Amino acid sequence: MGFEKFGPKSFTAQTRVAEFADKLAAGEICATRCVRCRRVYFPPRADCVSCLGNSMEWEKIPEKGKLVSYTRVQYPPAGFEADAPYTLALVDFGEVKVFGRLSNAVEEAGIKVGREVKPVVLTTPDGQLTYEFVLI
Amino acid sequence: MSRDVAIIGVGQTKFTRNYQGSLREMVFEAFAEALRDAGITAREIGASLICSAPEYDKQRSPAGLLAEYLGLNPQPTFVLESICSSSTTGVRVGYSLIKAGLHDVVAVIGFQKMSEISSAESQERMGRGADIMWEAPFGSMMPAYYAMHAQAHFARYGTTEEDLALIRVKASKYGALNERAVFRKELTVEQCLNSAVVSSPLKVYDCCANADGASCLILANADRAKAISAKPVWILGLGAASETMSLTGREALDGLRAARLAAREAYQMAGLTPGEIDVAEVHDCFTIAELMAYEDLGFAEPGKGVELIRNGQTSLGGRIPVNVDGGLLSKGHPIGATGGSQVRTIVLQLRGEAGPMQVPGAEIGLVHNIGGVGIYSNVIILGR
Ligand SMILES: [Zn+2]
């Protein structure tokens, strides 16, 4: 339990990486790194597909990433009507890529593939923990 | 080149917004057409493969229900699912059952009655076709994912919204010719560009039409095919691959790796090259998906797909006609029925029975059917 606190709208509560939400509460966006083979994962995983180990440590993702692609959603899926329009984005941080939203404060005209962005933690009006990307 | 398994019968309902009848009745229509086309009875079918994306079905475990209604008891039946590519997954499994010698004749039955749930509900369910822990919580959905692929393609190759509009204009031209299509209107580039944005840069007319529909294919081994059918169409090559569901696991977004891998495998098995394909059906759930397919299938170099559409090379009379039945964009996309419908179109083309959509003298055809945002990929090469 605990993972239901993560994301603008949560679909699931139970996972062995629920600590991700606690890390967010502490202001950190973390990946997991396999203690045995050192492979790093985002989204965080409890199990290492490389060495089959399941001893993981938390590691903050880098401060700076590059926008791989984005889209501004005008017609959202059910349950997200109040949030629309919003911008979904994929960001490359080197060792890991992260999916999320770009801050609504960023004007669409200012968004370009390849732009440098950084992730920030925030709490939504209904108390959910999440992160979004802002321009650097 | 393999000539061990043939398609000896094809059937498809008209794709419609709201089929006026029950699911079983809709499926029966496609099944009866395929049986009549093959000239066989239900008793001669060794197994039925029921292909559907069950999240859109009200009926649970539809294989049992449909086998009963179609008169396919007591033969084995089961459901196969790879979302939008379910019925070409059915072809792959049917091919293997026949090659393995377990059955001589197999029916691949695909369907979806999208009108059983609301459009918002279906979008929400499609969103949950993405990783529900790490992506769906942000409000992701099918159009948004393909939009991100479009944006990446634009950024890397200079592709434009007008190029995508040309793909929809082409689809609408052939949709107007196809009596089984749900969207029969011809569209102009301006209409496409002026339609409302769904998820930038994709607009309403960049998105396929949801539809109700069913398809049915009858597969047979070589002995039975030669005995039963005057015009068997042979499965020459099959390829399949998968890709990470999460976008975070992908190398790039300007193409679909699973489609490239499946195509390579299918060409290799058939001993054919992209230049030898006479007609193709590709998975144009969104305009950008057709453009990426040109490149992933080797019809054009990466980044050069736009030249095919700009120069009319994928229209009737062009170098490689693509989706001249209207494609998913205009013919419609009843998820589980789509792959079977694509195969049916190619079978009719290779038999010379495609009517106003006929590619003269077509001998080799290709089907590219994708599940989700490139998560599942099937490529099938067919020949006379
Ligand atoms: Zn490891």
Side-chain angles (χ1 to χ4, degrees):
Chain A
M1 295 293 279
F3 195 70
E4 73 281 358
K5 294 196 297 277
F6 168 62
K9 182 181 155 96
S10 176
F11 294 96
T12 181
Q14 274 192 315
T15 165
R16 287 191 281 121
V17 292
E19 206 182 330
F20 179 78
D22 304 327
K23 294 280 176 193
L24 272 188
E28 291 185 351
I29 304 159
C30 289
T32 52
R33 189 180 286 278
C34 175
V35 170
R36 192 192 297 171
C37 79
R38 308 307 295 163
R39 184 164 169 186
V40 67
Y41 291 104
F42 198 97
R45 291 175 57 118
D47 309 291
C48 179
V49 76
S50 290
C51 73
L52 305 184
N54 46 29
S55 178
M56 293 281 181
E57 59 195 24
W58 292 97
E59 178 173 308
K60 276 179 73 172
I61 63 167
E63 285 290 309
K64 219 192 273 185
K66 273 192 178 160
L67 194 57
V68 176
S69 196
Y70 65 94
T71 181
R72 188 133 177 96
V73 177
Q74 300 289 347
Y75 285 93
F80 292 90
E81 296 82 354
D83 294 4
Y86 50 87
T87 303
L88 296 173
L90 182 67
V91 176
D92 189 353
F93 288 93
E95 265 191 306
V96 292
K97 293 192 184 85
V98 179
F99 186 91
R101 284 189 194 167
L102 206 59
S103 165
N104 255 350
V106 180
E107 302 242 344
E108 199 176 359
I111 309 171
K112 266 204 169 63
V113 167
R115 273 296 309 245
E116 284 198 330
V117 298
K118 67 173 181 181
V120 295
V121 175
L122 75 146
T123 306
T124 68
D126 45 3
Q128 286 291 101
L129 288 163
T130 188
Y131 55 79
E132 64 178 17
F133 307 112
V134 297
L135 299 185
I136 294 177
Chain B
M1 195 184 291
S2 141
R3 278 180 194 273
D4 302 325
V5 179
I7 298 167
I8 60 165
V10 294
Q12 181 201 311
T13 63
K14 185 175 174 1
F15 288 176
T16 60
R17 281 280 171 213
N18 191 342
Y19 180 82
Q20 297 298 306
S22 67
L23 178 67
R24 67 195 78 184
E25 292 152 5
M26 181 177 79
V27 172
F28 191 89
E29 234 181 273
F31 178 68
E33 185 175 79
L35 277 192
R36 281 190 212 107
D37 183 46
I40 63 168
T41 63
R43 205 171 308 154
E44 293 170 77
I45 292 170
S48 58
L49 313 185
I50 307 299
C51 309
S52 152
E55 63 270 29
Y56 304 109
D57 298 337
K58 285 202 168 152
Q59 174 70 49
R60 297 290 88 185
S61 204
L65 186 277
L66 291 173
E68 175 190 337
Y69 198 76
L70 304 177
L72 289 168
N73 296 133
Q75 300 98 306
T77 185
F78 51 91
V79 166
L80 292 168
E81 187 266 345
S82 58
I83 329 178
C84 327
S85 59
S86 295
S87 47
T88 48
T89 297
V91 171
R92 186 175 176 86
V93 173
Y95 179 92
S96 346
L97 290 173
I98 291 170
K99 270 280 285 218
L102 286 174
H103 301 291
D104 296 340
V105 180
V106 166
V108 176
I109 296 162
F111 66 85
Q112 221 74 59
K113 195 161 177 335
M114 302 295 287
S115 63
E116 283 194 335
I117 57 174
S118 75
S119 174
E121 266 185 302
S122 89
Q123 277 307 322
E124 196 264 344
R125 287 171 202 205
M126 283 182 203
R128 278 189 286 137
D131 185 330
I132 62 157
M133 277 177 69
W134 302 102
E135 293 189 3
F138 292 103
S140 63
M141 54 170 188
M142 277 302 145
Y145 283 114
Y146 270 102
M148 290 173 78
H149 283 75
Q151 204 66 263
H153 201 277
F154 286 15
R156 179 156 179 193
Y157 298 117
T159 312
T160 66
E161 295 181 26
E162 285 80 1
D163 292 321
L164 299 188
L166 290 174
I167 288 174
R168 182 57 205 258
V169 168
K170 173 173 74 70
S172 73
K173 180 176 164 188
Y174 298 116
L177 297 179
N178 187 348
E179 288 174 353
R180 304 275 174 103
V182 64
F183 193 94
R184 306 293 306 278
K185 266 192 311 200
E186 281 210 53
L187 295 169
T188 64
V189 168
E190 290 66 36
Q191 282 173 307
C192 295
L193 291 176
N194 292 333
S195 62
V197 175
V198 174
S199 195
S200 67
L202 299 184
K203 305 169 199 71
V204 168
Y205 286 138
D206 287 302
C207 307
C208 65
N210 273 355
D212 290 354
S215 62
C216 179
L217 307 171
I218 311 290
L219 275 53
N221 67 18
D223 287 347
R224 297 290 289 136
K226 286 172 192 161
I228 298 167
S229 179
K231 288 181 179 175
V233 167
W234 301 93
I235 298 176
L236 306 179
L238 288 168
S242 68
E243 175 60 290
T244 61
M245 183 175 253
S246 166
L247 290 195
T248 57
R250 302 195 182 187
E251 260 170 52
L253 298 186
D254 46 46
L256 300 177
R257 186 179 65 159
R260 288 194 293 275
L261 294 174
R264 192 167 71 193
E265 200 174 273
Y267 286 129
Q268 198 167 12
M269 178 173 163
L272 292 166
T273 60
E276 292 173 278
I277 305 298
D278 298 317
V279 56
E281 280 284 296
V282 310
H283 194 87
D284 59 334
C285 49
F286 299 93
T287 49
I288 180 64
E290 176 165 326
L291 187 65
M292 291 193 297
Y294 294 166
E295 298 169 5
D296 292 335
L297 294 168
F299 298 159
E301 295 290 307
K304 299 283 166 67
V306 288
E307 291 174 12
L308 291 180
I309 189 70
R310 286 176 191 162
N311 301 326
Q313 294 299 324
T314 50
S315 295
L316 275 180
R319 185 158 65 76
I320 168 72
V322 173
N323 293 355
V324 292
D325 63 352
L328 282 61
L329 287 166
S330 280
K331 187 180 59 180
H333 184 26
I335 313 288
T338 289
S341 168
Q342 293 178 302
V343 171
R344 171 183 175 269
T345 290
I346 295 298
V347 166
L348 295 180
Q349 286 283 354
L350 301 185
R351 290 185 192 161
E353 296 170 3
M357 300 166 277
Q358 183 65 45
V359 175
E363 288 182 18
I364 306 282
L366 179 147
V367 171
H368 157 280
N369 187 200
I370 302 293
V373 189
I375 303 167
Y376 314 105
S377 175
N378 291 315
V379 173
I380 301 173
I381 299 175
L382 300 168
R384 306 203 278 222

PDB file of all heavy atoms in Angstrom, chain A residues 1-3 13 15-26 28 30 32 44 56-58 129, chain B residues 134:
ATOM      1  N   MET A   1       0.851  -1.200   0.000  1.00  0.00           N
ATOM      2  CA  MET A   1       0.000   0.000   0.000  1.00  0.00           C
ATOM      3  C   MET A   1       0.880   1.241   0.000  1.00  0.00           C
ATOM      4  O   MET A   1       2.065   1.183   0.281  1.00  0.00           O
ATOM      5  CB  MET A   1      -0.913   0.016   1.234  1.00  0.00           C
ATOM      6  CG  MET A   1      -1.943  -1.103   1.274  1.00  0.00           C
ATOM      7  SD  MET A   1      -3.195  -0.965  -0.009  1.00  0.00           S
ATOM      8  CE  MET A   1      -4.308   0.254   0.736  1.00  0.00           C
ATOM      9  N   GLY A   2       0.292   2.371  -0.316  1.00  0.00           N
ATOM     10  CA  GLY A   2       1.032   3.625  -0.354  1.00  0.00           C
ATOM     11  C   GLY A   2       1.183   4.151  -1.766  1.00  0.00           C
ATOM     12  O   GLY A   2       1.216   5.354  -1.996  1.00  0.00           O
ATOM     13  N   PHE A   3       1.243   3.229  -2.745  1.00  0.00           N
ATOM     14  CA  PHE A   3       1.486   3.645  -4.121  1.00  0.00           C
ATOM     15  C   PHE A   3       0.281   4.364  -4.730  1.00  0.00           C
ATOM     16  O   PHE A   3       0.408   5.070  -5.720  1.00  0.00           O
ATOM     17  CB  PHE A   3       1.872   2.426  -4.971  1.00  0.00           C
ATOM     18  CG  PHE A   3       2.473   2.801  -6.302  1.00  0.00           C
ATOM     19  CD1 PHE A   3       3.727   3.380  -6.378  1.00  0.00           C
ATOM     20  CD2 PHE A   3       1.766   2.589  -7.478  1.00  0.00           C
ATOM     21  CE1 PHE A   3       4.279   3.747  -7.606  1.00  0.00           C
ATOM     22  CE2 PHE A   3       2.303   2.944  -8.716  1.00  0.00           C
ATOM     23  CZ  PHE A   3       3.569   3.524  -8.765  1.00  0.00           C
ATOM     24  N   ALA A  13      -2.551   0.123  -6.115  1.00  0.00           N
ATOM     25  CA  ALA A  13      -1.993   0.505  -4.819  1.00  0.00           C
ATOM     26  C   ALA A  13      -0.813  -0.358  -4.405  1.00  0.00           C
ATOM     27  O   ALA A  13       0.124   0.121  -3.769  1.00  0.00           O
ATOM     28  CB  ALA A  13      -3.079   0.417  -3.749  1.00  0.00           C
ATOM     29  N   THR A  15       2.494  -2.533  -4.669  1.00  0.00           N
ATOM     30  CA  THR A  15       3.708  -2.837  -5.414  1.00  0.00           C
ATOM     31  C   THR A  15       4.863  -2.861  -4.419  1.00  0.00           C
ATOM     32  O   THR A  15       4.810  -2.179  -3.391  1.00  0.00           O
ATOM     33  CB  THR A  15       3.991  -1.792  -6.519  1.00  0.00           C
ATOM     34  OG1 THR A  15       5.346  -1.941  -6.954  1.00  0.00           O
ATOM     35  CG2 THR A  15       3.789  -0.373  -6.032  1.00  0.00           C
ATOM     36  N   ARG A  16       5.891  -3.615  -4.757  1.00  0.00           N
ATOM     37  CA  ARG A  16       7.068  -3.638  -3.878  1.00  0.00           C
ATOM     38  C   ARG A  16       7.964  -2.413  -4.079  1.00  0.00           C
ATOM     39  O   ARG A  16       8.973  -2.272  -3.414  1.00  0.00           O
ATOM     40  CB  ARG A  16       7.841  -4.949  -4.085  1.00  0.00           C
ATOM     41  CG  ARG A  16       7.083  -6.132  -3.457  1.00  0.00           C
ATOM     42  CD  ARG A  16       7.934  -7.391  -3.419  1.00  0.00           C
ATOM     43  NE  ARG A  16       7.977  -8.040  -4.718  1.00  0.00           N
ATOM     44  CZ  ARG A  16       9.085  -8.271  -5.416  1.00  0.00           C
ATOM     45  NH1 ARG A  16      10.257  -7.907  -4.930  1.00  0.00           N
ATOM     46  NH2 ARG A  16       9.028  -8.874  -6.577  1.00  0.00           N
ATOM     47  N   VAL A  17       7.578  -1.534  -5.039  1.00  0.00           N
ATOM     48  CA  VAL A  17       8.323  -0.275  -5.161  1.00  0.00           C
ATOM     49  C   VAL A  17       7.481   0.918  -4.704  1.00  0.00           C
ATOM     50  O   VAL A  17       7.673   2.037  -5.150  1.00  0.00           O
ATOM     51  CB  VAL A  17       8.858  -0.055  -6.601  1.00  0.00           C
ATOM     52  CG1 VAL A  17       9.942  -1.058  -6.935  1.00  0.00           C
ATOM     53  CG2 VAL A  17       7.721  -0.108  -7.635  1.00  0.00           C
ATOM     54  N   ALA A  18       6.554   0.656  -3.773  1.00  0.00           N
ATOM     55  CA  ALA A  18       5.678   1.723  -3.269  1.00  0.00           C
ATOM     56  C   ALA A  18       6.470   2.841  -2.595  1.00  0.00           C
ATOM     57  O   ALA A  18       6.001   3.977  -2.500  1.00  0.00           O
ATOM     58  CB  ALA A  18       4.658   1.144  -2.298  1.00  0.00           C
ATOM     59  N   GLU A  19       7.687   2.515  -2.169  1.00  0.00           N
ATOM     60  CA  GLU A  19       8.527   3.524  -1.522  1.00  0.00           C
ATOM     61  C   GLU A  19       8.785   4.702  -2.463  1.00  0.00           C
ATOM     62  O   GLU A  19       9.157   5.797  -2.013  1.00  0.00           O
ATOM     63  CB  GLU A  19       9.858   2.874  -1.109  1.00  0.00           C
ATOM     64  CG  GLU A  19      10.534   3.550   0.056  1.00  0.00           C
ATOM     65  CD  GLU A  19      11.897   2.892   0.388  1.00  0.00           C
ATOM     66  OE1 GLU A  19      12.039   1.668   0.154  1.00  0.00           O
ATOM     67  OE2 GLU A  19      12.790   3.614   0.854  1.00  0.00           O
ATOM     68  N   PHE A  20       8.581   4.498  -3.771  1.00  0.00           N
ATOM     69  CA  PHE A  20       8.718   5.591  -4.743  1.00  0.00           C
ATOM     70  C   PHE A  20       7.885   6.793  -4.306  1.00  0.00           C
ATOM     71  O   PHE A  20       8.334   7.936  -4.404  1.00  0.00           O
ATOM     72  CB  PHE A  20       8.276   5.126  -6.131  1.00  0.00           C
ATOM     73  CG  PHE A  20       8.358   6.187  -7.189  1.00  0.00           C
ATOM     74  CD1 PHE A  20       9.583   6.532  -7.760  1.00  0.00           C
ATOM     75  CD2 PHE A  20       7.211   6.858  -7.619  1.00  0.00           C
ATOM     76  CE1 PHE A  20       9.662   7.524  -8.741  1.00  0.00           C
ATOM     77  CE2 PHE A  20       7.286   7.844  -8.598  1.00  0.00           C
ATOM     78  CZ  PHE A  20       8.511   8.180  -9.162  1.00  0.00           C
ATOM     79  N   ALA A  21       6.665   6.509  -3.811  1.00  0.00           N
ATOM     80  CA  ALA A  21       5.775   7.595  -3.385  1.00  0.00           C
ATOM     81  C   ALA A  21       6.332   8.302  -2.140  1.00  0.00           C
ATOM     82  O   ALA A  21       6.237   9.524  -2.021  1.00  0.00           O
ATOM     83  CB  ALA A  21       4.380   7.052  -3.116  1.00  0.00           C
ATOM     84  N   ASP A  22       6.933   7.537  -1.234  1.00  0.00           N
ATOM     85  CA  ASP A  22       7.541   8.150  -0.045  1.00  0.00           C
ATOM     86  C   ASP A  22       8.716   9.042  -0.450  1.00  0.00           C
ATOM     87  O   ASP A  22       8.930  10.116   0.111  1.00  0.00           O
ATOM     88  CB  ASP A  22       8.030   7.069   0.926  1.00  0.00           C
ATOM     89  CG  ASP A  22       6.904   6.113   1.313  1.00  0.00           C
ATOM     90  OD1 ASP A  22       5.749   6.578   1.394  1.00  0.00           O
ATOM     91  OD2 ASP A  22       7.181   4.909   1.515  1.00  0.00           O
ATOM     92  N   LYS A  23       9.484   8.563  -1.428  1.00  0.00           N
ATOM     93  CA  LYS A  23      10.609   9.359  -1.923  1.00  0.00           C
ATOM     94  C   LYS A  23      10.098  10.665  -2.530  1.00  0.00           C
ATOM     95  O   LYS A  23      10.679  11.726  -2.312  1.00  0.00           O
ATOM     96  CB  LYS A  23      11.392   8.577  -2.987  1.00  0.00           C
ATOM     97  CG  LYS A  23      12.085   7.342  -2.457  1.00  0.00           C
ATOM     98  CD  LYS A  23      13.384   7.729  -1.778  1.00  0.00           C
ATOM     99  CE  LYS A  23      14.039   6.502  -1.154  1.00  0.00           C
ATOM    100  NZ  LYS A  23      15.126   6.896  -0.223  1.00  0.00           N
ATOM    101  N   LEU A  24       8.982  10.546  -3.294  1.00  0.00           N
ATOM    102  CA  LEU A  24       8.391  11.763  -3.877  1.00  0.00           C
ATOM    103  C   LEU A  24       7.985  12.731  -2.771  1.00  0.00           C
ATOM    104  O   LEU A  24       8.230  13.934  -2.862  1.00  0.00           O
ATOM    105  CB  LEU A  24       7.149  11.416  -4.701  1.00  0.00           C
ATOM    106  CG  LEU A  24       7.283  11.055  -6.171  1.00  0.00           C
ATOM    107  CD1 LEU A  24       5.881  10.954  -6.782  1.00  0.00           C
ATOM    108  CD2 LEU A  24       8.129  12.044  -6.956  1.00  0.00           C
ATOM    109  N   ALA A  25       7.382  12.197  -1.723  1.00  0.00           N
ATOM    110  CA  ALA A  25       6.951  13.039  -0.604  1.00  0.00           C
ATOM    111  C   ALA A  25       8.135  13.772   0.008  1.00  0.00           C
ATOM    112  O   ALA A  25       8.010  14.894   0.511  1.00  0.00           O
ATOM    113  CB  ALA A  25       6.243  12.185   0.450  1.00  0.00           C
ATOM    114  N   ALA A  26       9.301  13.132  -0.082  1.00  0.00           N
ATOM    115  CA  ALA A  26      10.521  13.754   0.456  1.00  0.00           C
ATOM    116  C   ALA A  26      11.207  14.629  -0.605  1.00  0.00           C
ATOM    117  O   ALA A  26      12.320  15.114  -0.403  1.00  0.00           O
ATOM    118  CB  ALA A  26      11.474  12.670   0.951  1.00  0.00           C
ATOM    119  N   GLU A  28      12.116  13.716  -3.752  1.00  0.00           N
ATOM    120  CA  GLU A  28      13.062  13.034  -4.641  1.00  0.00           C
ATOM    121  C   GLU A  28      12.351  12.160  -5.667  1.00  0.00           C
ATOM    122  O   GLU A  28      11.428  11.422  -5.332  1.00  0.00           O
ATOM    123  CB  GLU A  28      14.001  12.143  -3.818  1.00  0.00           C
ATOM    124  CG  GLU A  28      14.955  12.929  -2.949  1.00  0.00           C
ATOM    125  CD  GLU A  28      15.954  12.023  -2.224  1.00  0.00           C
ATOM    126  OE1 GLU A  28      15.788  10.780  -2.280  1.00  0.00           O
ATOM    127  OE2 GLU A  28      16.876  12.577  -1.615  1.00  0.00           O
ATOM    128  N   CYS A  30      13.059   9.054  -7.885  1.00  0.00           N
ATOM    129  CA  CYS A  30      14.098   8.022  -7.847  1.00  0.00           C
ATOM    130  C   CYS A  30      13.861   6.883  -8.831  1.00  0.00           C
ATOM    131  O   CYS A  30      12.730   6.481  -9.094  1.00  0.00           O
ATOM    132  CB  CYS A  30      14.195   7.429  -6.449  1.00  0.00           C
ATOM    133  SG  CYS A  30      14.911   8.578  -5.265  1.00  0.00           S
ATOM    134  N   THR A  32      15.355   2.765  -9.517  1.00  0.00           N
ATOM    135  CA  THR A  32      15.964   1.714  -8.701  1.00  0.00           C
ATOM    136  C   THR A  32      17.224   1.217  -9.411  1.00  0.00           C
ATOM    137  O   THR A  32      17.273   1.166 -10.639  1.00  0.00           O
ATOM    138  CB  THR A  32      15.017   0.523  -8.459  1.00  0.00           C
ATOM    139  OG1 THR A  32      14.502   0.050  -9.704  1.00  0.00           O
ATOM    140  CG2 THR A  32      13.860   0.901  -7.558  1.00  0.00           C
ATOM    141  N   PRO A  44      10.842   2.505 -11.822  1.00  0.00           N
ATOM    142  CA  PRO A  44      11.477   1.645 -10.832  1.00  0.00           C
ATOM    143  C   PRO A  44      10.927   0.225 -10.896  1.00  0.00           C
ATOM    144  O   PRO A  44       9.746   0.026 -11.154  1.00  0.00           O
ATOM    145  CB  PRO A  44      11.083   2.298  -9.501  1.00  0.00           C
ATOM    146  CG  PRO A  44      10.777   3.707  -9.843  1.00  0.00           C
ATOM    147  CD  PRO A  44      10.180   3.672 -11.217  1.00  0.00           C
ATOM    148  N   MET A  56      17.269  -4.040  -4.504  1.00  0.00           N
ATOM    149  CA  MET A  56      17.377  -2.777  -5.234  1.00  0.00           C
ATOM    150  C   MET A  56      17.689  -1.635  -4.277  1.00  0.00           C
ATOM    151  O   MET A  56      17.261  -1.650  -3.133  1.00  0.00           O
ATOM    152  CB  MET A  56      16.054  -2.471  -5.940  1.00  0.00           C
ATOM    153  CG  MET A  56      15.712  -3.437  -7.055  1.00  0.00           C
ATOM    154  SD  MET A  56      16.640  -3.032  -8.539  1.00  0.00           S
ATOM    155  CE  MET A  56      16.034  -4.291  -9.662  1.00  0.00           C
ATOM    156  N   GLU A  57      18.408  -0.630  -4.787  1.00  0.00           N
ATOM    157  CA  GLU A  57      18.558   0.588  -3.995  1.00  0.00           C
ATOM    158  C   GLU A  57      17.994   1.765  -4.779  1.00  0.00           C
ATOM    159  O   GLU A  57      17.935   1.735  -6.003  1.00  0.00           O
ATOM    160  CB  GLU A  57      20.025   0.806  -3.614  1.00  0.00           C
ATOM    161  CG  GLU A  57      20.977   0.913  -4.784  1.00  0.00           C
ATOM    162  CD  GLU A  57      22.443   0.763  -4.362  1.00  0.00           C
ATOM    163  OE1 GLU A  57      22.721   0.147  -3.317  1.00  0.00           O
ATOM    164  OE2 GLU A  57      23.291   1.290  -5.108  1.00  0.00           O
ATOM    165  N   TRP A  58      17.528   2.781  -4.039  1.00  0.00           N
ATOM    166  CA  TRP A  58      16.930   3.954  -4.675  1.00  0.00           C
ATOM    167  C   TRP A  58      18.021   4.934  -5.058  1.00  0.00           C
ATOM    168  O   TRP A  58      18.986   5.124  -4.319  1.00  0.00           O
ATOM    169  CB  TRP A  58      15.921   4.610  -3.729  1.00  0.00           C
ATOM    170  CG  TRP A  58      14.720   3.738  -3.502  1.00  0.00           C
ATOM    171  CD1 TRP A  58      14.505   2.892  -2.443  1.00  0.00           C
ATOM    172  CD2 TRP A  58      13.591   3.599  -4.365  1.00  0.00           C
ATOM    173  NE1 TRP A  58      13.313   2.233  -2.593  1.00  0.00           N
ATOM    174  CE2 TRP A  58      12.716   2.652  -3.767  1.00  0.00           C
ATOM    175  CE3 TRP A  58      13.217   4.178  -5.583  1.00  0.00           C
ATOM    176  CZ2 TRP A  58      11.507   2.282  -4.348  1.00  0.00           C
ATOM    177  CZ3 TRP A  58      12.012   3.810  -6.156  1.00  0.00           C
ATOM    178  CH2 TRP A  58      11.175   2.869  -5.549  1.00  0.00           C
ATOM    179  N   LEU A 129       0.565  12.781  -5.087  1.00  0.00           N
ATOM    180  CA  LEU A 129       1.969  13.116  -5.311  1.00  0.00           C
ATOM    181  C   LEU A 129       2.327  12.805  -6.757  1.00  0.00           C
ATOM    182  O   LEU A 129       1.988  11.738  -7.268  1.00  0.00           O
ATOM    183  CB  LEU A 129       2.858  12.259  -4.408  1.00  0.00           C
ATOM    184  CG  LEU A 129       2.837  12.600  -2.932  1.00  0.00           C
ATOM    185  CD1 LEU A 129       3.405  11.430  -2.134  1.00  0.00           C
ATOM    186  CD2 LEU A 129       3.641  13.868  -2.661  1.00  0.00           C
TER     187      LEU A 129
ATOM    188  N   TRP B 134       2.727   3.426 -14.324  1.00  0.00           N
ATOM    189  CA  TRP B 134       3.661   4.521 -14.616  1.00  0.00           C
ATOM    190  C   TRP B 134       3.275   5.432 -15.755  1.00  0.00           C
ATOM    191  O   TRP B 134       3.895   6.461 -15.969  1.00  0.00           O
ATOM    192  CB  TRP B 134       5.066   3.941 -14.873  1.00  0.00           C
ATOM    193  CG  TRP B 134       5.562   3.139 -13.716  1.00  0.00           C
ATOM    194  CD1 TRP B 134       5.582   1.779 -13.605  1.00  0.00           C
ATOM    195  CD2 TRP B 134       6.063   3.649 -12.480  1.00  0.00           C
ATOM    196  NE1 TRP B 134       6.077   1.410 -12.382  1.00  0.00           N
ATOM    197  CE2 TRP B 134       6.387   2.529 -11.666  1.00  0.00           C
ATOM    198  CE3 TRP B 134       6.280   4.936 -11.976  1.00  0.00           C
ATOM    199  CZ2 TRP B 134       6.915   2.670 -10.387  1.00  0.00           C
ATOM    200  CZ3 TRP B 134       6.810   5.071 -10.699  1.00  0.00           C
ATOM    201  CH2 TRP B 134       7.113   3.950  -9.909  1.00  0.00           C
TER     202      TRP B 134
END
